[in-house]
Amino acid sequence: MHEEKIALVDSQIRAVQRAISERSIENVYFVACGGSLATLYPSKYIIERETAAVNTNTYTAAEFFNDPPMRLGEKSLVILNSQSGGTAETVAAAHLCAERGAMTAAFTTAPDSAIEKAVDFIMYYYDNPADPYPAVLTIFPEVYKLTYALLDVWNHTSRLPEVNEAMLRLQSTFDEACTAYLPAARTFASRYAHEPIIYTTAAGLNSCVGYVLTNCLLMESLWMHSSPLHAGEFFHGAFEAVDDTTAVFALLGLGNTRPLEERAVKFLQRKTKKLTVLDAAALDLSAYPEWLRANTAALVLNRLAAMYCDEMSYVLGHPISSRRYMGVEKY
Amino acid sequence: MHEEKIALVDSQIRAVQRAISERSIENVYFVACGGSLATLYPSKYIIERETAAVNTNTYTAAEFFNDPPMRLGEKSLVILNSQSGGTAETVAAAHLCAERGAMTAAFTTAPDSAIEKAVDFIMYYYDNPADPYPAVLTIFPEVYKLTYALLDVWNHTSRLPEVNEAMLRLQSTFDEACTAYLPAARTFASRYAHEPIIYTTAAGLNSCVGYVLTNCLLMESLWMHSSPLHAGEFFHGAFEAVDDTTAVFALLGLGNTRPLEERAVKFLQRKTKKLTVLDAAALDLSAYPEWLRANTAALVLNRLAAMYCDEMSYVLGHPISSRRYMGVEKY
């Protein structure tokens, strides 16, 4: 059953790959909202650093729709993401892209939804908090697959099979990491569940993990105050707000921007005792090709951050799925 | 004296304009840190929406230096900004750009500084909180001038003289607006000086005003907790953290993204009584060409936000120039 789904997704990604290999693309725009935008961010980040063939950027869908880039047109590939399939801003953006002659491809969990009807290519992912699908079928790993499918075309490489293999191993990496970090997650949860604010810090590719942690987990799911601080920006303003009463959740990745993240951690270790650090250097990523380890580390950090917040939801007696506005009232 | 400085700056901007008119540019990268990056953001935003000739993006300097875009090269124009002239990350980024053959131009207040020595073109701006220079000599208006100087080349227009004229009028607009809004600023300051957190919301071009307000004013200068929420992203996570005890400072601009900002304000009006709204629709911008009003409004909002925070610093007895880490210790 899962094998069938994986085969379907891979064929959907190959369809996008074939289409762009037959078309001259100059710009790749990633357009979505909230967590659905954050999960596209790795693709922007990796493409920008691994090919000179295209330009790329990310946009929250409402801004893209109301004030689109002038270059949006026939040489644009627009990648969208709507978990529910009906996110109004994202669907509106998809229609605008079609009017402008751009090629569109969207991720969604909802077959035959409004977003599927609005785009040229659809890619399904699977999301069920009650009975989780294997990691390979969730959004981040699929975004990685698409990213390398596109890069293979633009860079004349053939790395996609290796990425597909690697993403299949992700579930066991997640399971091992979650087992190893469960005590730390419980300590975090019991220590910081009642903090007035918990900042997150990250840099580079991990910025999207920090954003998911702040926006989707701490704010949306736990109704706590937070802000996603970029570790490079931190020393140019935000750090002045930190004192020894300030809780911070810092991410340390394995990519080229690790020195920025380390600098923030070193400073925070001196300034606050309420510091939680998730360091990817402690993870066993030997099952992955060396060139893919830094990017894979971000996915594991993201999985662990979610577990830390699950543990916090138990301490608070506040189910992680609780919403007071989203889907509850009109706004 | 001011006339001489204005003439100097205008000649520096024309030198950049002449150089790019003789060179094929595909990418414009804006690279700086903190407030110096935020003040470049309008140029990215406007260029992206007003020309199809180039691609553009913004980067915090440390990330750009450690993990640069692969397209960085001879067809790149890199605009940098270092107020002090010596920001280590920005200077390092400028050297990298030179190695890659990119054309570089930087804003600074510090003649003959490290950044000036590292770039092809320098543009001075003037910044003295104790004895302020007229607005036309400060960073934001100069960034606008450069933006339209570049657009005139790429779009074969000639709007720069009109922009230069408009920026000369800015000081009197600021003065009038500050007089009109002083009572509101004092109310804001006395009401919210002791809040545990003050969020800001904005969208589009105004995002940089929200970022300056959060990062440079509330966090860096007043040591308060804050987060710059994008009004379009707000409804996809962050809003769940807002309840009737949450203070929010919302910006309403005049651009195409005003509907996003209005949607956030309407929601917040129902959810919290601690809402401060700065609405550019109430400003008198009749002295400006219609096509420039939305962009000019952002500058006035920025000036007013600074006054609101000045007033808060008086209430707190915390000078706006107080720093506990920046320039005080090594980090």
Side-chain angles (χ1 to χ4, degrees):
Chain A
M1 191 64 179
H2 288 156
E3 284 66 26
E4 272 173 40
K5 287 189 170 65
I6 295 168
L8 171 64
V9 169
D10 287 353
S11 73
Q12 291 173 328
I13 289 172
R14 276 198 309 275
V16 179
Q17 188 187 42
R18 265 197 310 276
I20 69 135
S21 71
E22 291 161 3
R23 187 159 168 162
S24 167
I25 297 292
E26 291 183 352
N27 287 83
V28 185
Y29 297 117
F30 292 95
V31 178
C33 306
S36 294
L37 179 58
T39 47
L40 295 178
Y41 183 77
S43 195
K44 181 264 187 189
Y45 195 87
I46 296 168
I47 287 173
E48 193 171 43
R49 275 140 192 99
E50 297 200 9
T51 188
V54 296
N55 299 283
T56 180
N57 215 339
T58 59
Y59 302 82
T60 192
E63 185 162 296
F64 189 86
F65 172 71
N66 281 276
D67 211 8
M70 192 174 266
R71 289 178 71 93
L72 175 63
E74 291 177 10
K75 295 193 169 178
S76 307
L77 167 63
V78 185
I79 313 280
L80 306 105
N81 184 10
S82 168
Q83 191 218 28
S84 69
T87 317
E89 301 96 310
T90 310
V91 173
H95 285 298
L96 173 74
C97 295
E99 280 166 30
R100 298 283 178 94
M103 183 177 144
T104 51
F107 289 98
T108 189
T109 65
D112 302 321
S113 56
I115 194 71
E116 177 161 351
K117 287 172 187 142
V119 296
D120 300 322
F121 296 93
I122 197 74
M123 297 164 286
Y124 296 145
Y125 68 99
Y126 298 86
D127 186 7
N128 181 1
D131 180 18
Y133 284 90
V136 66
L137 285 169
T138 61
I139 181 66
F140 264 131
E142 291 199 7
V143 168
Y144 277 39
K145 288 184 181 190
L146 176 67
T147 303
Y148 288 100
L150 298 174
L151 285 172
D152 275 351
V153 174
W154 293 321
N155 288 347
H156 311 291
T157 49
S158 50
R159 295 189 291 178
L160 181 59
E162 222 178 336
V163 175
N164 286 344
E165 271 298 306
M167 295 301 106
L168 285 170
R169 287 183 218 118
L170 211 49
Q171 187 59 49
S172 71
T173 305
F174 283 6
D175 291 344
E176 283 165 31
C178 284
T179 302
Y181 282 81
L182 184 59
R186 289 188 170 151
T187 302
F188 166 80
S190 63
R191 203 172 279 172
Y192 303 120
H194 300 285
E195 285 298 317
I197 182 166
I198 302 178
Y199 287 107
T200 67
T201 67
L205 178 60
N206 305 314
S207 296
C208 68
V209 181
Y211 190 77
V212 168
L213 174 52
T214 279
N215 187 70
C216 306
L217 297 171
L218 294 170
M219 298 184 80
E220 177 178 336
S221 298
L222 294 171
W223 308 355
M224 295 179 72
H225 296 306
S226 182
S227 182
L229 303 177
H230 190 289
E233 285 285 276
F234 182 61
F235 295 100
H236 299 277
F239 76 152
E240 290 284 345
V242 170
D243 64 21
D244 58 4
T245 70
T246 312
V248 184
F249 194 137
L251 301 170
L252 282 175
L254 300 179
N256 292 336
T257 54
R258 182 175 172 95
L260 285 63
E261 297 173 319
E262 283 178 339
R263 188 181 178 212
V265 166
K266 274 177 198 157
F267 175 85
L268 289 162
Q269 282 168 336
R270 289 194 292 119
K271 295 302 173 189
T272 177
K273 290 204 170 58
K274 296 185 179 174
L275 176 64
T276 303
V277 179
L278 257 185
D279 184 355
L283 301 171
D284 178 8
L285 299 170
S286 56
Y288 299 88
E290 218 172 306
W291 63 269
L292 195 58
R293 279 184 204 162
N295 294 347
T296 304
L299 304 185
V300 188
L301 292 178
N302 183 69
R303 178 65 194 89
L304 289 173
M307 182 181 68
Y308 278 54
C309 291
D310 281 340
E311 291 301 319
M312 192 169 266
S313 83
Y314 307 144
V315 170
L316 291 168
H318 174 114
I320 206 87
S321 60
S322 301
R323 301 292 180 274
R324 48 185 159 188
Y325 311 128
M326 195 182 282
V328 175
E329 59 174 76
K330 289 203 168 181
Y331 41 80
Chain B
M1 192 65 178
H2 289 155
E3 284 65 26
E4 272 172 40
K5 288 190 169 65
I6 296 167
L8 172 64
V9 169
D10 287 352
S11 73
Q12 292 173 326
I13 289 173
R14 276 197 308 275
V16 179
Q17 188 186 43
R18 266 196 310 276
I20 68 135
S21 72
E22 291 160 4
R23 187 159 168 162
S24 167
I25 297 292
E26 290 183 351
N27 287 84
V28 185
Y29 298 116
F30 293 94
V31 178
C33 305
S36 293
L37 179 58
T39 47
L40 295 178
Y41 183 77
S43 195
K44 181 266 188 187
Y45 195 88
I46 296 168
I47 286 172
E48 193 171 44
R49 276 140 192 98
E50 297 200 8
T51 188
V54 296
N55 300 284
T56 180
N57 215 338
T58 60
Y59 303 82
T60 193
E63 184 162 297
F64 189 86
F65 171 71
N66 280 277
D67 211 9
M70 193 175 265
R71 290 178 70 93
L72 176 63
E74 291 178 10
K75 294 192 170 180
S76 308
L77 166 64
V78 186
I79 313 281
L80 306 105
N81 184 11
S82 168
Q83 191 216 30
S84 69
T87 316
E89 300 97 310
T90 310
V91 173
H95 286 298
L96 173 74
C97 294
E99 280 166 30
R100 298 282 178 96
M103 183 177 143
T104 51
F107 289 98
T108 189
T109 66
D112 303 321
S113 56
I115 193 72
E116 177 161 353
K117 287 171 188 144
V119 296
D120 301 321
F121 296 92
I122 196 74
M123 298 165 285
Y124 295 145
Y125 69 97
Y126 298 87
D127 185 7
N128 182 358
D131 180 18
Y133 284 90
V136 66
L137 284 168
T138 61
I139 182 66
F140 264 130
E142 291 198 8
V143 169
Y144 276 40
K145 288 183 181 191
L146 175 67
T147 303
Y148 288 100
L150 298 174
L151 286 172
D152 276 351
V153 174
W154 293 321
N155 288 347
H156 311 290
T157 50
S158 50
R159 295 188 292 178
L160 180 59
E162 220 177 336
V163 174
N164 286 344
E165 272 297 308
M167 295 301 105
L168 286 170
R169 288 183 217 119
L170 211 49
Q171 187 60 49
S172 71
T173 304
F174 283 5
D175 292 343
E176 283 166 31
C178 284
T179 303
Y181 282 81
L182 184 58
R186 289 187 172 152
T187 303
F188 166 81
S190 63
R191 204 171 280 173
Y192 303 119
H194 300 285
E195 286 298 319
I197 183 166
I198 302 178
Y199 287 107
T200 67
T201 67
L205 179 59
N206 305 315
S207 296
C208 68
V209 181
Y211 190 77
V212 168
L213 175 51
T214 278
N215 187 70
C216 306
L217 298 171
L218 294 170
M219 298 185 79
E220 177 177 337
S221 299
L222 295 171
W223 307 355
M224 295 178 72
H225 295 308
S226 182
S227 181
L229 303 177
H230 190 290
E233 285 284 277
F234 182 62
F235 295 99
H236 299 277
F239 75 152
E240 290 284 345
V242 170
D243 64 20
D244 58 3
T245 68
T246 312
V248 184
F249 194 136
L251 301 170
L252 282 175
L254 300 178
N256 292 337
T257 54
R258 183 175 170 94
L260 284 65
E261 297 174 320
E262 283 177 339
R263 188 180 177 213
V265 166
K266 273 178 199 157
F267 175 85
L268 290 162
Q269 282 168 336
R270 288 194 291 120
K271 296 299 172 191
T272 176
K273 289 203 168 61
K274 297 185 180 176
L275 175 65
T276 302
V277 179
L278 258 184
D279 185 354
L283 301 170
D284 177 8
L285 298 169
S286 55
Y288 299 88
E290 219 171 305
W291 64 268
L292 195 58
R293 278 183 206 164
N295 294 347
T296 304
L299 304 185
V300 188
L301 292 178
N302 183 69
R303 178 66 194 88
L304 289 173
M307 182 180 69
Y308 278 55
C309 291
D310 281 340
E311 291 301 318
M312 192 169 267
S313 83
Y314 306 144
V315 170
L316 291 167
H318 174 114
I320 205 88
S321 61
S322 301
R323 301 291 180 275
R324 49 185 158 187
Y325 312 127
M326 196 182 282
V328 175
E329 59 175 74
K330 288 203 170 181
Y331 42 80

